[in-house]
Amino acid sequence: MTDLAQIEEKIAEYAAKGYEVPTKDMIKTPEEIIGIRRASKINTAVLDAVAAKIKAGMSTDDINTIVHESTLAHGAIPAPLNYEGFPKSVCTSVNEEICHGIPSSNVILKSGDIVNVDVTTLYDGFYGDASRMFMIGKVTPQKKNLVLITKECLRRGVEASQPWHFIGDIGAAVSAFAHKHGYSVVREFGGHGVGLQMHEEPFISHVGKKNTGMLLVPGMVFTIEPMINMGRPELYVDSANDWTALTEDGKPSAQWEHTILITESGNEILTY
Ligand code: MF3
Ligand code: CO
Ligand code: CO
């Protein structure tokens, strides 16, 4: 029996027992995985290009230029540009901005800022998606802690992403660690299937209960991208652009994101 036939049989067994299982399109073929891996490698190179240049005095539109030009230099397309009307090639979310910040020549990075740069790359029909936090100049110990704890939340979410375990395990691991440090977890946005589209099913909540939700199966590709707030979890969307999500209490928020593949023995981070 082929690996895939074995996997399908096992999925059918879980489904028969009443578990929520992935649909066929949530399980990528070996050829699709090669394509997603290529797009993800370019995505990482683009984030590396940002990392090499980002500094105080730069505008978030300068980051957009780096992302746009670096992506094109790799023969790829910056997926956010014109996605559902998004006007730029990358999301840049500063301090109390949670996600979907729009690059602007009026937003100048200054010492003490923390900024999320979220890059999504389309190459040869396949998508990779990842984001990192950057600390500009001298940031407060409180902000630095938020950034590092959020990175560890992502690592724990990845660690919980095991074949024949459950999506709820991911949110359980992320939220337990965030709460332990006195932080809150954003609920309105989460990780997502990715590969043939920028956003696919399933939704990956960063709050969850162990052994609940959809079964994780080898061949699934999705993002984990916890948004962790220093204060309260509530958010609002900037009515001036209908995109940028900000913390209601004005306190800082951090986010890190990877695209991962569930394998037969564990997982692989495609956006390393
Ligand atoms: N990269 C984001 C994510 O992690 C989505 C970008 S939305 C866009 O899901 F409109 F900016 F493209
Ligand atoms: Co992203
Ligand atoms: Co994403």
Side-chain angles (χ1 to χ4, degrees), residues 45-51 53-54 58-74 76-78 80-81 86-92 101-107 109 117-119:
V46 172
L47 276 166
D48 287 344
V50 172
K53 290 192 174 158
I54 193 167
M58 223 178 224
S59 74
T60 52
D61 197 54
D62 294 332
I63 296 170
N64 184 72
T65 302
I66 295 168
V67 168
H68 190 86
E69 288 177 355
S70 164
T71 303
L72 295 189
H74 284 92
I77 296 167
L81 186 59
F86 193 80
K88 293 284 178 173
S89 297
V90 62
C91 299
T92 53
I102 300 177
S104 163
S105 53
N106 296 326
V107 177
L109 296 175
V117 178
D118 189 343
V119 175

Side-chain angles (χ1 to χ4, degrees), residues 79-80 83 86 91 100 118-120 129 192 198-199 225 243 257:
Y83 173 83
F86 193 80
C91 299
H100 303 162
D118 189 343
V119 175
T120 313
D129 185 10
H192 49 90
M198 171 154 54
H199 291 133
E225 47 183 295
W243 274 105
E257 176 179 27

